[in-house]
């Protein structure tokens, strides 16, 4: 089901702290105007975020500046704790033989893969040719030893709210990373640093920010936005019929 069609379940606005009913925007403005009109609303969320966060870290937020690279800041929670190189951990557990907890240094020491693709949010904005770099998820899964009977992977975040999932086959694709860098810089807090999921062939809501847990499960469990109407299979192109399909 496409949540951008009027009549679909009503996802709340994705920007921090200011829920907006997307159906209301669609109903009054039409699809074509949506991107333009939501921008100021998102911007207000961004500004309040900058105001709140800059007390603690006035330097880490430059990648957030308006239209800096075309990205928009999203968080479903009002605030997200910061994790540094010393206190960040990424746990791999569930249906695996060797559960493991990685530090950021552990992840940086593994072979890094760099991919350059368009980023696309299902709400319409796109950032062309964006480099992401990190560890292939398949490598972490192989290291953990996925048990027979496993069919999916669930991702959790240290914002305490967001979640995502992939089938095991999707998770093993070579274009799915635990990303440590974006646009050839260490991933900043606003973009989900120190580590986020990066699922290149899918809409950006799959790319869970502030990644803290990777749990191998039997079945796919719909993620945060998917419980609110988004497609569980989020291939760019298949969910809205407009874009190039990278898998065909
Ligand atoms: N933890 C978490 N991850 C998330 C989100 C979120 O709200 N929280 N939003 C998703 C959506 S809908 C998009 S479009 C991208 C936005 O990433 P950005 O803030 O780096 O632009 O993150 C995705 N991952
Ligand atoms: Mo999104």
């Amino acid at each position: 089901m496409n949540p951008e069609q009027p009549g679909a379940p009503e996802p709340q606005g994705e920007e921090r702290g200011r829920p907006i009913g997307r159906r209301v925007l669609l109903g009054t403005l039409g699809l074509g105007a949506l991107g333009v009109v939501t921008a100021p609303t998102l911007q207000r969320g961004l500004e309040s975020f900058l105001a709140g966060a800059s007390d603690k870290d006035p330097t880490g937020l430059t990648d957030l500046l308006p239209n800096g690279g075309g990205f928009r800041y999203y968080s479903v929670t009002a605030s997200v704790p910061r994790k540094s190189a010393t206190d960040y951990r990424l746990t791999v557990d569930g249906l695996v033989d060797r559960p493991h907890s990685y530090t950021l240094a552990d992840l940086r020491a593994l072979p890094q893969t760099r991919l350059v693709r368009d980023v696309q949010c299902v709400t319409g904005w796109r950032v062309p040719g964006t480099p992401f770099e990190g560890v292939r998820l398949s490598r972490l899964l192989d290291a953990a030893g996925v048990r027979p009977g496993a069919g999916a992977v669930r991702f959790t975040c240290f914002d305490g709210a967001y979640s995502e999932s992939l089938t095991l086959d999707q998770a093993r694709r070579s274009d799915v990373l635990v990303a440590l860098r974006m646009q050839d810089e260490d991933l900043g807090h606003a973009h989900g640093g120190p580590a986020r999921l990066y699922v290149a062939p899918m809409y950006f809501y799959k790319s869970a920010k502030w990644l803290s847990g990777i749990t191998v499960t039997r079945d796919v469990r719909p993620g945060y936005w998917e419980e609110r109407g988004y497609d569980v299979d989020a291939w760019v192109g298949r969910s809205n019929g407009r874009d190039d399909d990278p898998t065909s």
Side-chain angles (χ1 to χ4, degrees):
M1 189 187 304
N2 183 344
E4 295 192 286
Q5 298 294 322
E10 183 177 6
Q12 296 295 297
E14 293 168 355
E15 89 284 19
R16 167 189 177 272
R18 292 183 61 94
I20 45 168
R22 187 164 289 155
R23 190 198 288 165
V24 175
L25 285 170
L26 285 168
T28 53
L29 305 164
L31 259 182
L34 184 62
V36 176
V37 174
T38 54
T41 310
L42 291 166
Q43 200 56 46
R44 282 199 293 279
L46 175 66
E47 277 156 12
S48 60
F49 171 80
L50 284 168
S54 56
D55 301 336
K56 290 171 207 151
D57 180 4
T59 60
L61 294 164
T62 44
D63 54 348
L64 264 182
L65 291 175
N67 290 323
F71 277 91
R72 296 176 193 180
Y73 170 76
Y74 285 119
S75 175
V76 298
T77 60
S79 67
V80 180
R82 280 163 187 270
K83 298 278 184 190
S84 68
T86 46
D87 59 14
Y88 177 76
R89 294 290 183 280
L90 175 63
T91 305
V92 182
D93 61 13
L95 298 174
V96 297
D97 291 329
R98 297 172 293 277
H100 193 71
S101 178
Y102 291 88
T103 65
L104 194 56
D106 294 336
L107 292 171
R108 284 178 176 154
L110 294 171
Q112 307 289 305
T113 298
R114 184 174 180 272
L115 301 173
V116 183
R117 305 286 165 79
D118 293 359
V119 159
Q120 180 146 352
C121 173
V122 76
T123 58
W125 57 276
R126 181 197 289 257
V127 186
T130 306
F132 279 87
E133 197 174 331
V135 181
R136 285 210 170 107
L137 178 60
S138 63
R139 172 176 289 275
L140 301 183
L141 294 174
D142 288 348
V146 173
R147 287 193 183 152
V153 185
R154 177 169 166 79
F155 306 94
T156 48
C157 306
F158 63 80
D159 64 9
Y162 205 76
S163 61
E164 257 305 337
S165 67
L166 294 170
T167 68
L168 196 52
D169 284 346
Q170 292 166 355
R172 283 185 160 136
R173 287 175 59 106
S174 58
D175 53 2
V176 176
L177 307 179
V178 171
L180 309 179
R181 290 168 65 79
M182 185 181 109
Q183 294 174 318
D184 296 316
E185 290 177 22
D186 287 346
L187 200 55
H189 177 72
H191 285 299
R196 79 183 291 170
L197 189 64
Y198 175 63
V199 184
M202 294 192 177
Y203 285 111
F204 209 26
Y205 64 85
K206 279 287 176 186
S207 294
K209 311 202 295 186
W210 307 297
L211 184 65
S212 57
I214 297 172
T215 303
V216 178
T217 59
R218 224 173 63 95
D219 303 304
V220 166
R221 183 159 142 207
Y224 182 93
W225 280 116
E226 293 151 9
E227 286 178 330
R228 291 159 177 81
Y230 281 29
D231 288 348
V232 173
D233 280 326
W235 304 107
V236 170
R238 283 194 207 157
S239 295
N240 67 8
R242 288 194 303 268
D243 307 300
D244 296 336
D245 183 344
T247 63
S248 64

